[in-house]
Amino acid sequence: METNEKTKPKRVVIKPGDVFCTEFDNRFKCYFQFIVKDSESLYGAVIRVFKTHYPIDYVPVIADIVRDDVAFITHTFIRFGLWDNVWYKVGKSLDTGAYALDNVVFGLAQEDRFTADNKLEKVNPLENWWVWKVNQPHIEIGRLPEKYHDIIEPGDVFSYNTIRERMEYGYNKFAAPEYEIIKRRPRPEVDSYIKYMHEGATYYYHFKGEYVVREVVTTGNEAVRLTPDKPVSGRYHLYTRQFGDLDQYRIAFITAEEFNQVWTSDNSIANTN
């Protein structure tokens, strides 16, 4: 069944299979589908978010939407997004993709743990993972085995703003212990701007998708510009690892304007090597 996207009833019945749309200004729209409630995660809704960004004037064809590749599966409270007009229901499908949940493991890395005598202690969260599948009990597993690394999803019940951020960028900007294992993967078309300080130098990165396309290294009154075409200047080399490999606790997300101000600064010197 399909409905007019502009219809926003005051009270919307929410059932598994329902498909919802969220719009990003006048740029594009994105869809997700409610799969099931998870009794092990505050009865949050498990949703699958589809990968395609559709034109803002796209008229939804539900059968096509649910055949799309899935960007990620996560938890949220759908009703809150409806109340604040963040997303709206556009239809439903009997195809919920629930079979895919067999291959999804949710996890949380916790810094608090109870000892054998029931005392609370602080621990390395990467040594204290809890994992579970939908509607199955949480299992304390210690260090996360490698077999889970490619299928684990953060187990929090996320706010609608956090869901929208990942829809738009492919990742969330906040730091969390889980992201030491769950590598953040930007969408290929996304521009990300990062500031990183290390050993007296400040590094400014412009990522396009997974990789740096421009880098500025500043030390005192001098700055060096690096690009894939000119990746080396003296002792500085262009950052060539993937976005998710950055130390999440030592970076700051900055705006394009802030990066470009440094890139075009008079004290920046082009790489002439």
Side-chain angles (χ1 to χ4, degrees):
M1 181 182 74
E2 298 175 14
T3 61
N4 187 322
E5 285 188 277
K6 298 304 181 183
T7 301
K8 297 182 180 180
K10 292 182 179 180
R11 180 69 179 177
V12 178
V13 176
I14 304 173
K15 293 183 178 181
D18 289 345
V19 177
F20 298 84
C21 176
T22 184
E23 298 182 5
F24 292 80
D25 304 318
N26 290 316
R27 295 178 293 140
F28 61 85
K29 58 178 67 170
C30 191
Y31 295 90
F32 70 87
Q33 185 182 33
F34 173 29
I35 303 175
V36 68
K37 287 283 186 74
D38 188 352
S39 62
E40 296 298 318
S41 293
L42 305 176
Y43 283 94
V46 179
I47 64 172
R48 57 173 181 165
V49 176
F50 299 106
K51 185 174 293 185
T52 299
H53 284 179
Y54 292 87
I56 203 68
D57 60 353
Y58 171 73
V59 178
V61 178
I62 300 301
D64 291 342
I65 290 170
V66 300
R67 281 198 296 264
D68 190 15
D69 291 337
V70 175
F72 60 95
I73 294 175
T74 191
H75 298 86
T76 193
F77 292 119
I78 295 174
R79 180 70 65 189
F80 293 165
L82 290 173
W83 285 342
D84 288 348
N85 295 315
V86 174
W87 48 58
Y88 49 91
K89 182 176 172 181
V90 296
K92 72 177 304 175
S93 172
L94 295 178
D95 176 10
T96 64
Y99 55 85
L101 295 180
D102 290 338
N103 299 317
V104 176
V105 176
F106 293 104
L108 291 171
Q110 302 289 289
E111 65 176 12
D112 295 318
R113 180 174 63 190
F114 283 99
T115 63
D117 55 355
N118 206 34
K119 292 182 179 179
L120 192 65
E121 65 175 355
K122 294 291 183 182
V123 296
N124 178 354
L126 296 182
E127 301 288 343
N128 187 35
W129 279 83
W130 289 78
V131 300
W132 71 98
K133 290 189 175 183
V134 172
N135 290 321
Q136 295 182 19
H138 293 205
I139 300 171
E140 187 177 6
I141 202 170
R143 177 168 286 273
L144 191 70
E146 287 192 12
K147 68 179 182 179
Y148 290 122
H149 286 195
D150 292 333
I151 61 174
I152 195 81
E153 277 283 345
D156 297 279
V157 181
F158 290 104
S159 70
Y160 55 68
N161 286 330
T162 304
I163 299 294
R164 278 175 54 87
E165 183 177 68
R166 191 171 173 188
M167 285 178 174
E168 182 171 10
Y169 300 110
Y171 62 87
N172 294 119
K173 294 182 178 180
F174 60 83
E178 289 82 7
Y179 294 135
E180 295 290 325
I181 301 298
I182 307 171
K183 300 301 184 182
R184 294 185 282 193
R185 302 300 185 198
R187 292 177 60 90
E189 75 280 5
V190 165
D191 293 289
S192 305
Y193 301 91
I194 304 292
K195 181 180 180 180
Y196 170 72
M197 301 180 69
H198 181 63
E199 295 184 349
T202 303
Y203 297 79
Y204 296 85
Y205 299 129
H206 171 195
F207 281 86
K208 187 73 170 182
E210 290 275 20
Y211 295 100
V212 168
V213 293
R214 293 186 295 167
E215 176 179 341
V216 185
V217 186
T218 63
T219 54
N221 295 322
E222 183 178 75
V224 176
R225 296 196 299 266
L226 304 171
T227 66
D229 292 333
K230 296 181 178 180
V232 181
S233 180
R235 65 190 181 98
Y236 296 108
H237 295 252
L238 184 76
Y239 185 86
T240 57
R241 297 178 66 181
Q242 292 183 316
F243 179 90
D245 292 330
L246 284 170
D247 183 343
Q248 62 168 333
Y249 292 108
R250 298 178 68 182
I251 65 173
F253 288 91
I254 60 176
T255 64
E257 290 74 18
E258 184 175 347
F259 178 90
N260 288 325
Q261 183 177 11
V262 177
W263 180 261
T264 59
S265 174
D266 291 340
N267 62 4
S268 293
I269 60 173
N271 177 4
T272 57
N273 290 0

